[in-house]
mmCIF file of all heavy atoms in Angstrom:
data_model
loop_
_atom_site.group_PDB
_atom_site.id
_atom_site.type_symbol
_atom_site.label_atom_id
_atom_site.label_comp_id
_atom_site.label_asym_id
_atom_site.label_seq_id
_atom_site.Cartn_x
_atom_site.Cartn_y
_atom_site.Cartn_z
ATOM 1 N N GLY S 104 20.747 8.006 -9.435
ATOM 2 C CA GLY S 104 21.507 8.630 -8.321
ATOM 3 C C GLY S 104 22.008 7.530 -7.397
ATOM 4 O O GLY S 104 21.910 6.317 -7.657
ATOM 5 N N THR S 105 22.514 7.968 -6.241
ATOM 6 C CA THR S 105 23.004 7.008 -5.246
ATOM 7 C C THR S 105 22.453 7.274 -3.857
ATOM 8 O O THR S 105 22.622 6.439 -2.958
ATOM 9 C CB THR S 105 24.537 7.047 -5.183
ATOM 10 O OG1 THR S 105 24.958 8.373 -4.854
ATOM 11 C CG2 THR S 105 25.167 6.593 -6.475
ATOM 12 N N GLN S 106 21.813 8.432 -3.655
ATOM 13 C CA GLN S 106 21.339 8.775 -2.317
ATOM 14 C C GLN S 106 19.977 9.507 -2.375
ATOM 15 O O GLN S 106 19.698 10.240 -3.339
ATOM 16 C CB GLN S 106 22.310 9.653 -1.563
ATOM 17 C CG GLN S 106 23.612 8.991 -1.183
ATOM 18 C CD GLN S 106 24.480 9.922 -0.389
ATOM 19 O OE1 GLN S 106 24.615 11.050 -0.684
ATOM 20 N NE2 GLN S 106 25.086 9.358 0.666
ATOM 21 N N ILE S 107 19.205 9.273 -1.328
ATOM 22 C CA ILE S 107 17.958 9.990 -1.141
ATOM 23 C C ILE S 107 17.922 10.503 0.282
ATOM 24 O O ILE S 107 18.578 9.952 1.174
ATOM 25 C CB ILE S 107 16.706 9.142 -1.451
ATOM 26 C CG1 ILE S 107 16.722 7.869 -0.542
ATOM 27 C CG2 ILE S 107 16.614 8.776 -2.925
ATOM 28 C CD1 ILE S 107 15.452 6.985 -0.707
ATOM 29 N N SER S 108 17.079 11.536 0.512
ATOM 30 C CA SER S 108 16.811 11.995 1.879
ATOM 31 C C SER S 108 15.313 12.098 1.979
ATOM 32 O O SER S 108 14.512 11.758 1.045
ATOM 33 C CB SER S 108 17.491 13.348 2.136
ATOM 34 O OG SER S 108 16.914 14.366 1.340
ATOM 35 N N PHE S 109 14.842 12.549 3.138
ATOM 36 C CA PHE S 109 13.387 12.496 3.424
ATOM 37 C C PHE S 109 12.934 13.817 4.034
ATOM 38 O O PHE S 109 13.679 14.481 4.751
ATOM 39 C CB PHE S 109 13.115 11.366 4.368
ATOM 40 C CG PHE S 109 13.603 10.045 3.874
ATOM 41 C CD1 PHE S 109 14.877 9.615 4.214
ATOM 42 C CD2 PHE S 109 12.852 9.244 3.026
ATOM 43 C CE1 PHE S 109 15.400 8.402 3.715
ATOM 44 C CE2 PHE S 109 13.332 8.026 2.525
ATOM 45 C CZ PHE S 109 14.591 7.626 2.911
ATOM 46 N N GLN S 110 11.654 14.137 3.759
ATOM 47 C CA GLN S 110 11.055 15.332 4.377
ATOM 48 C C GLN S 110 9.706 14.927 4.909
ATOM 49 O O GLN S 110 9.052 13.988 4.448
ATOM 50 C CB GLN S 110 10.864 16.440 3.332
ATOM 51 C CG GLN S 110 12.175 16.987 2.788
ATOM 52 C CD GLN S 110 11.963 18.108 1.819
ATOM 53 O OE1 GLN S 110 10.946 18.149 1.132
ATOM 54 N NE2 GLN S 110 12.921 19.040 1.773
ATOM 55 N N THR S 111 9.182 15.691 5.891
ATOM 56 C CA THR S 111 7.923 15.496 6.499
ATOM 57 C C THR S 111 7.179 16.806 6.739
ATOM 58 O O THR S 111 7.812 17.859 6.779
ATOM 59 C CB THR S 111 7.985 14.654 7.786
ATOM 60 O OG1 THR S 111 6.677 14.272 8.190
ATOM 61 C CG2 THR S 111 8.648 15.443 8.884
ATOM 62 N N SER S 112 5.881 16.679 6.929
ATOM 63 C CA SER S 112 5.020 17.816 7.211
ATOM 64 C C SER S 112 3.952 17.385 8.188
ATOM 65 O O SER S 112 3.738 16.164 8.379
ATOM 66 C CB SER S 112 4.406 18.323 5.911
ATOM 67 O OG SER S 112 3.516 19.411 6.150
ATOM 68 N N ASP S 113 3.205 18.333 8.735
ATOM 69 C CA ASP S 113 2.098 17.969 9.616
ATOM 70 C C ASP S 113 0.794 17.713 8.844
ATOM 71 O O ASP S 113 -0.159 17.178 9.393
ATOM 72 C CB ASP S 113 1.889 19.016 10.714
ATOM 73 C CG ASP S 113 1.619 20.392 10.128
ATOM 74 O OD1 ASP S 113 1.783 20.625 8.954
ATOM 75 O OD2 ASP S 113 1.200 21.297 10.919
ATOM 76 N N THR S 114 0.779 18.039 7.579
ATOM 77 C CA THR S 114 -0.349 17.716 6.706
ATOM 78 C C THR S 114 0.161 17.311 5.337
ATOM 79 O O THR S 114 1.288 17.701 4.948
ATOM 80 C CB THR S 114 -1.341 18.922 6.524
ATOM 81 O OG1 THR S 114 -0.604 19.962 5.866
ATOM 82 C CG2 THR S 114 -1.885 19.393 7.849
ATOM 83 N N LEU S 115 -0.671 16.660 4.538
ATOM 84 C CA LEU S 115 -0.209 16.181 3.206
ATOM 85 C C LEU S 115 0.136 17.361 2.307
ATOM 86 O O LEU S 115 1.126 17.331 1.627
ATOM 87 C CB LEU S 115 -1.308 15.325 2.571
ATOM 88 C CG LEU S 115 -0.923 14.650 1.251
ATOM 89 C CD1 LEU S 115 0.266 13.701 1.434
ATOM 90 C CD2 LEU S 115 -2.124 13.887 0.703
ATOM 91 N N GLY S 116 -0.616 18.423 2.396
ATOM 92 C CA GLY S 116 -0.390 19.589 1.551
ATOM 93 C C GLY S 116 0.419 20.684 2.185
ATOM 94 O O GLY S 116 0.523 21.779 1.669
ATOM 95 N N GLY S 117 1.017 20.369 3.311
ATOM 96 C CA GLY S 117 1.765 21.375 4.125
ATOM 97 C C GLY S 117 3.144 21.694 3.582
ATOM 98 O O GLY S 117 3.564 21.237 2.562
ATOM 99 N N THR S 118 3.882 22.451 4.425
ATOM 100 C CA THR S 118 5.260 22.793 4.130
ATOM 101 C C THR S 118 6.128 21.673 4.655
ATOM 102 O O THR S 118 6.092 21.336 5.819
ATOM 103 C CB THR S 118 5.643 24.122 4.743
ATOM 104 O OG1 THR S 118 4.756 25.157 4.234
ATOM 105 C CG2 THR S 118 7.087 24.465 4.429
#
Side-chain angles (χ1 to χ4, degrees):
T105 57
Q106 291 184 318
I107 57 175
S108 67
F109 305 91
Q110 295 181 332
T111 190
S112 176
D113 57 349
T114 63
L115 187 60
T118 301

